[in-house]
Amino acid sequence: MRVPMIAGNWKMNTTVSQAVALVNEMRHELNEIGNIDKVVCPPFISLSAVGELIKGSSIKLGAQDMYFEERGAYTGEISPLMLAELCELVIIGHSERRQYFNETGEIVNRKVLAALRVGLKPILCIGERLDENEAGRTAEVVTGQLRSSLVGISDLNGLVIAYEPVWAIGTGKAATGDWANETIGLIRRNLAELYGKEIAQRVRILYGGSVTAANTSEFISQSEIDGALVGGASLKSSEFLSIVKQTSEIRG
Ligand code: PGA
């Protein structure tokens, strides 16, 4: 049985004091919800403060990105070693990174390798754009992204995958549960080809893209979907708590 996961990607929102306030609003209730991994991913500069607040709780901390080198003259970058001291997970290859910061499949692959090397658990994001979806190329694009991200990786331990169709992110236009389930099934079949069926069955694959408290059950009730990567709705404590509670109830 795969333990479900709900991860909140706060993106470039919240100052340090706002991040502290947001986590304070939900940490006690969140801590009590069982049978599920609950992750918050605040901006880098709030990792430390949020980490202090959730220390000793069942809430996990994740970063939103990182560089693949461990140290050196890379002004402004954050390294895997720096994150490993602060958090457990790191989002890698988010479509906003690919789109606005020119992250290629090769860069994403280097980041996944670097995260695993220092014991960070990557949440690897893959997903097709609207034009690719409309051209019927979803399977090809998602398969290509998955395989290029995993080059040279023999052990998937700790890796989480998030299927996030780009057209569903931040648009309020979520995919349907059936569509997400089918595509995630395809991702799992690819993992089985690469790593064997048993390992593929153990990897958690989340859906992401306009997940809210109102549509959570549509996704979570699907057999292949192990949770959600939540953007906008993770910035409202009541909404995020509801998503986590529903997931725990449906899958627990
Ligand atoms: P959204 O973002 O929930 O706001 O659509 C999801 C994501 O980008 O991870």
Side-chain angles (χ1 to χ4, degrees):
M1 271 299 280
R2 301 182 292 265
V3 176
M5 172 182 284
I6 299 291
N9 173 10
W10 297 4
K11 308 194 180 182
M12 198 178 71
N13 296 293
T14 68
T15 63
V16 177
S17 58
Q18 288 167 341
V20 164
L22 178 57
V23 85
N24 265 330
E25 273 170 36
M26 56 187 180
R27 66 182 165 134
H28 294 297
E29 248 184 288
L30 216 43
N31 182 40
E32 300 296 317
I33 308 171
N35 307 315
I36 179 167
D37 279 345
K38 302 146 288 190
V39 186
V40 290
C41 305
F44 287 130
I45 60 163
S46 296
L47 284 172
S48 208
V50 170
E52 280 303 314
L53 286 173
I54 60 176
K55 204 185 247 171
S57 80
S58 59
I59 307 163
K60 297 175 191 288
L61 191 61
Q64 298 174 16
D65 181 39
M66 53 164 232
Y67 194 49
F68 49 73
E69 295 291 351
E70 294 190 351
R71 63 180 69 74
Y74 302 102
T75 301
E77 289 298 310
I78 301 289
S79 94
L81 286 177
M82 297 171 192
L83 292 182
E85 212 178 274
L86 288 174
C87 59
E88 186 177 328
L89 297 107
V90 57
I91 297 170
I92 289 178
H94 191 280
S95 65
E96 286 150 15
R97 304 281 332 158
R98 296 180 194 254
Q99 191 180 344
Y100 304 131
F101 304 99
N102 304 319
E103 280 196 15
T104 61
E106 192 203 326
I107 292 173
V108 172
N109 175 236
R110 292 178 79 170
K111 290 186 173 186
V112 174
L113 280 162
L116 290 171
R117 203 180 306 129
V118 300
L120 281 166
K121 296 174 180 157
I123 302 178
L124 167 66
C125 301
I126 56 178
E128 82 285 5
R129 296 190 312 260
L130 182 62
D131 59 315
E132 294 164 334
N133 179 283
E134 286 176 346
R137 293 183 51 220
T138 298
E140 171 204 335
V141 169
V142 166
T143 302
Q145 285 179 351
L146 179 76
R147 290 184 178 239
S148 69
S149 304
L150 297 178
V151 170
I153 292 161
S154 53
D155 185 355
L156 295 186
N157 230 351
L159 182 102
V160 176
I161 294 171
Y163 167 57
E164 299 205 302
V166 179
W167 45 271
I169 296 176
T171 59
K173 250 183 66 185
T176 63
D178 287 340
W179 170 269
N181 197 53
E182 207 177 290
T183 313
I184 289 176
L186 166 90
I187 294 169
R188 207 179 293 288
R189 285 198 298 283
N190 269 279
L191 289 177
E193 271 176 33
L194 293 168
Y195 298 96
K197 211 167 169 195
E198 203 179 306
I199 287 173
Q201 282 304 321
R202 282 207 295 264
V203 175
R204 287 180 290 184
I205 311 180
L206 317 179
Y207 165 75
S210 297
V211 172
T212 61
N215 64 19
T216 294
S217 63
E218 173 173 355
F219 296 104
I220 298 306
S221 53
Q222 300 277 351
S223 60
E224 294 289 349
I225 305 180
D226 300 315
L229 182 55
V230 185
S234 71
L235 293 167
K236 283 176 243 141
S237 54
S238 58
E239 187 85 4
F240 191 66
L241 278 165
S242 170
I243 293 169
V244 172
K245 268 187 214 150
Q246 291 183 56
T247 306
S248 160
E249 279 160 19
I250 296 168
R251 295 297 277 257

